[in-house]
Amino acid sequence: MAKRLATQYVKTCLQLTEAEMAMFIQLFVDHQASLQVKVLENGNQELVLLDNESGKEIVLPFERELNTYVCRGTCSITDKNLVNTMRKAVSTFKGSATVHRIYETYTMIYEYEHGSVVKIVERKGQSDRVIYEYKDTAGMLERLFRKDGVEQEIQSIKIQINQMLDLRNDMGDPAVREQIDDRLYQLTHRLFVLEA
């Protein structure tokens, strides 16, 4: 099995409530991560993690926005324990991220949305190969089923046709009747297309 060299969180977005922020920190404590929490003067927080493999500090900045803490940023992790804990954190707290798992001869790119993997791509040199892609088939079918724009247009055209027929019956002027007939032709043609 290929040895992973590093894991890069290229684009990460986590939105946590105050209670979730405490749970997020506790998740890293439970997995024996070396960490330090810095509370900044404006209410923002920084979670500083020590990557035991590289000896580098990883800083996760959380900005206070209304009643939530938002973390947007990038980081590179080599410590296996931290990599697994960060993956759990993104999943548990419904985060979005683009994650590059870097191996010697290739890179695996994982796309997370709302805590779930939606796409996996293998990149070797300049070529990409999609390994997995989530398709919400049931949701797509439900949205199509709920789409009723055509039915509404058919109903509207039928009302217009009835109004035009009433108007035609009331008109005595042949020139106006001819214009009404042209409009009726257009409406019935559109109705035929929609019902076909």
Side-chain angles (χ1 to χ4, degrees), residues 25 87-88 92 104 114 128 134 138 142-143 170 180 194:
I25 293 167
R87 179 185 46 77
K88 272 186 185 171
T92 302
E104 203 169 297
H114 306 292
D128 289 353
Y134 174 73
E142 184 176 338
R143 285 188 294 279
D170 292 342
I180 292 172
L194 291 172

Side-chain angles (χ1 to χ4, degrees), residues 12 40-41 46 58 60 62 66 79 84 89 97 106 113 139-140 157 165 176-177:
T12 308
L40 307 175
E41 61 192 47
E46 285 184 349
I58 299 160
L60 300 176
F62 285 88
L66 298 174
D79 184 274
N84 288 332
Y106 63 95
E113 286 180 17
M140 185 182 70
I157 289 172
L165 286 171
V176 174
R177 279 184 141 187

Side-chain angles (χ1 to χ4, degrees), residues 7-13 58-61 71-77 86 98:
T7 301
Q8 289 182 331
Y9 282 80
V10 180
K11 285 190 279 182
T12 308
C13 182
I58 299 160
V59 179
L60 300 176
C71 177
R72 291 183 191 91
T74 63
C75 63
S76 184
I77 307 171
M86 189 66 173
T98 300

Side-chain angles (χ1 to χ4, degrees), residues 5-190:
L5 302 176
T7 301
Q8 289 182 331
Y9 282 80
V10 180
K11 285 190 279 182
T12 308
C13 182
L14 290 163
Q15 293 184 335
L16 309 174
T17 63
E18 203 161 320
E20 288 173 331
M21 185 67 182
M23 291 167 46
F24 182 82
I25 293 167
Q26 190 60 48
L27 177 68
F28 284 91
V29 169
D30 291 346
H31 285 87
Q32 285 84 40
S34 300
L35 68 94
Q36 181 182 16
V37 179
K38 294 181 181 178
V39 180
L40 307 175
E41 61 192 47
N42 53 5
N44 296 345
Q45 292 188 20
E46 285 184 349
L47 183 62
V48 182
L49 302 163
L50 178 64
D51 187 327
N52 293 322
E53 293 273 325
S54 68
K56 294 181 182 175
E57 287 186 344
I58 299 160
V59 179
L60 300 176
F62 285 88
E63 291 183 21
R64 184 96 168 147
E65 293 180 8
L66 298 174
N67 295 329
T68 60
Y69 289 96
V70 180
C71 177
R72 291 183 191 91
T74 63
C75 63
S76 184
I77 307 171
T78 54
D79 184 274
K80 210 186 271 190
N81 182 41
L82 275 182
V83 167
N84 288 332
T85 308
M86 189 66 173
R87 179 185 46 77
K88 272 186 185 171
V90 168
S91 178
T92 302
F93 298 102
K94 308 292 185 219
S96 297
T98 300
V99 181
H100 291 201
R101 294 185 181 155
I102 302 166
Y103 298 88
E104 203 169 297
T105 58
Y106 63 95
T107 300
M108 298 298 289
I109 301 168
Y110 290 72
E111 297 278 340
Y112 288 85
E113 286 180 17
H114 306 292
S116 297
V117 176
V118 293
K119 190 173 185 179
I120 302 172
V121 175
E122 178 186 56
R123 178 172 289 160
K124 283 187 178 180
Q126 297 299 322
S127 66
D128 289 353
R129 181 173 64 113
V130 176
I131 305 296
Y132 166 78
E133 189 165 16
Y134 174 73
K135 291 188 179 15
D136 184 16
T137 308
M140 185 182 70
L141 289 173
E142 184 176 338
R143 285 188 294 279
L144 282 173
F145 179 74
R146 292 183 188 278
K147 239 182 176 179
D148 63 348
V150 172
E151 287 84 0
Q152 289 178 1
E153 188 176 353
I154 289 171
Q155 191 62 34
S156 172
I157 289 172
K158 285 180 178 180
I159 290 169
Q160 289 178 52
I161 288 172
N162 287 337
Q163 290 171 344
M164 289 297 215
L165 286 171
D166 290 342
L167 187 62
R168 186 180 190 283
N169 290 337
D170 292 342
M171 285 294 150
D173 186 359
V176 174
R177 279 184 141 187
E178 191 175 314
Q179 288 179 348
I180 292 172
D181 287 344
D182 287 343
R183 182 67 182 137
L184 280 169
Y185 174 78
Q186 292 170 358
L187 289 170
T188 55
H189 179 71
R190 179 69 182 148

